[in-house]
Amino acid sequence: MATQVRGIQDEKPWFYTATGLLGDKRDTMLDNQLLLRPELGRPLERGYSVPKSFTFGRPNGLKDGGASEALRGWTSSITLPLHRQKELKTERDFIGLNKAAVQAGLISAPEQYHFRASHDVRRNVATEEKSKTRSRRLPPTMVFGISTRPSTPVFDLLEHKYQDKWLAERRAADLAKRKNEQDTKRTTGKVYETRASLLRTYQNPVEPAPLWQMPRFSRNAHPHLETFRNDNLKTSAFKHHESDGISRKGAFAHGIYEPAKS
C-alpha cells in the first residue's frame, strides 16, 4: 500500500496540494505555499524550485588545511578576509538637473523632460561605512572577558606601605593648605577709613521739600470742626486707636474683634 501511495506521489506531484487528485491541475499550484499540504514525516515545502546540485549553507572562505593540517599543528598566523562592501545604488540628483536646466535656459516642462533624458547627474551617497574603519573578522581563538587581577603584594601590606603613603599625602596636603592661608593673609591688608573717605561716602539726610500749596490755603485755611478739646487728647486718642486696632479686622483696623486663637 505504501509503495502504491509513493508511486502516486511521484507520478502526480499535486497529491499534497489543496485540491489533491481531484479538480484542476496547474503547475503554478506547486509554487504557491498556501495550496501546499504537509507530507507525513517531512517538513512542509515552501514552493521554491531548487536545482539538484544546490548546496545549502554559507561558503567557507577560510581554508585551514583540514585534518592533515590539524595533525601537523595549527598555523599561528591566519589571513582573514575583509568584510565585503555593499554595492550602493546612487540616486539621481534632480536639484542639480533643475539647476543645470535653468542655467541652459530651459524653463518649460517639456524642455526639462528632454534635458533630463539626455543628461544624468547622480548624488554623492554618504554612508556610515566610510567613516568606520574596516575591521577584520575575529579569529576563532579570540578570548573575551576581563583580565585576571594581579596578586596582592603581601610584602607591602606587612610593612604598612599603604598607610605610610596615605600619611605622607595627607601631610603634604596640610602643608600646602597652610602655605596658601599664609599667602592669603599677607596679601589682604586692612584698609583704614579717614575723614575724607567717610565724607565721600556719607551723605547728610535731607528732608524732602513739602508739596506745593496755594498760599491762601496754607495760611488761612482752617478746619471747620474740631472734635478734640486740645492736642493732648487728640494724641492719646490716636494712640489708643493704634493699640486697640491690633485685635480688629480690616486694613485700617476698623472692623470687628477677632476671636482668640489657641
Side-chain angles (χ1 to χ4, degrees), residues 8-167:
I8 294 173
Q9 296 175 12
D10 296 338
E11 294 177 359
K12 299 179 180 180
W14 295 276
F15 186 78
Y16 288 101
T17 57
T19 58
L21 298 177
L22 302 177
D24 296 336
K25 307 295 186 299
R26 296 184 299 274
D27 295 338
T28 56
M29 296 172 62
L30 301 176
D31 299 335
N32 192 348
Q33 183 180 353
L34 300 177
L35 300 179
L36 297 177
R37 294 294 180 266
E39 185 178 354
L40 182 61
R42 291 188 178 184
L44 177 63
E45 296 183 359
R46 300 299 178 183
Y48 297 106
S49 58
V50 181
K52 295 182 179 180
S53 60
F54 185 79
T55 304
F56 293 91
R58 186 176 180 181
N60 187 10
L62 179 62
K63 297 181 180 180
D64 52 1
S68 60
E69 190 70 21
L71 293 175
R72 285 182 292 178
W74 295 103
T75 56
S76 58
S77 60
I78 301 174
T79 57
L80 299 176
L82 293 171
H83 292 288
R84 295 181 179 178
Q85 187 177 4
K86 298 179 181 179
E87 296 181 359
L88 302 176
K89 296 181 180 179
T90 57
E91 300 178 356
R92 297 190 70 182
D93 189 2
F94 292 97
I95 298 177
L97 288 171
N98 295 340
K99 182 179 179 181
V102 172
Q103 290 177 354
L106 306 177
I107 302 175
S108 61
E111 292 176 350
Q112 289 191 359
Y113 177 77
H114 293 298
F115 182 81
R116 291 179 183 178
S118 58
H119 297 77
D120 189 13
V121 179
R122 295 290 176 176
R123 295 177 56 187
N124 295 328
V125 181
T127 59
E128 298 180 358
E129 295 183 359
K130 292 184 179 180
S131 59
K132 295 181 180 178
T133 57
R134 292 185 178 181
S135 60
R136 293 183 177 272
R137 295 180 182 177
L138 298 176
T141 57
M142 182 67 182
V143 179
F144 297 91
I146 303 174
S147 59
T148 307
R149 188 176 64 86
S151 60
T152 304
V154 182
F155 185 74
D156 295 342
L157 292 176
L158 295 176
E159 289 189 347
H160 304 286
K161 283 190 175 181
Y162 295 103
Q163 179 182 356
D164 298 340
K165 183 180 179 181
W166 182 80
L167 291 174

